Amino acid sequence: MYINELLEEKYKAQRQLSRKAEIEKKDYFEVVENEVQELFTQNGWEMQFDK
């Protein structure tokens, strides 16, 4: 399997989020959603969802 620096960082971030989910006893996707919401709040971005 071909792995470059970008993919390595992606996998590293996924492992960190997975560990955080295990520690907090939450679902992985819940942790990801919370992280994204926090990022958007910090940067003043608006999150919009399509129907």
Side-chain angles (χ1 to χ4, degrees):
M1 181 202 275
Y2 177 76
I3 296 178
N4 62 22
E5 292 176 26
L6 183 60
L7 283 176
E8 281 184 35
E9 288 301 315
K10 175 189 169 202
Y11 296 145
K12 180 180 171 184
Q14 288 175 328
R15 282 192 300 273
Q16 290 173 343
L17 290 168
S18 179
R19 282 190 216 118
K20 184 174 181 178
E22 288 178 17
I23 291 169
E24 295 180 4
K25 299 192 184 332
K26 292 183 178 178
D27 182 60
Y28 172 81
F29 294 106
E30 185 180 345
V31 172
V32 171
E33 183 178 354
N34 290 340
E35 291 287 327
V36 170
Q37 287 176 349
E38 186 177 311
L39 178 66
F40 271 67
T41 301
Q42 287 176 355
N43 290 300
W45 300 336
E46 184 178 326
M47 190 178 300
Q48 296 178 350
F49 296 96
D50 289 336
K51 292 182 182 179

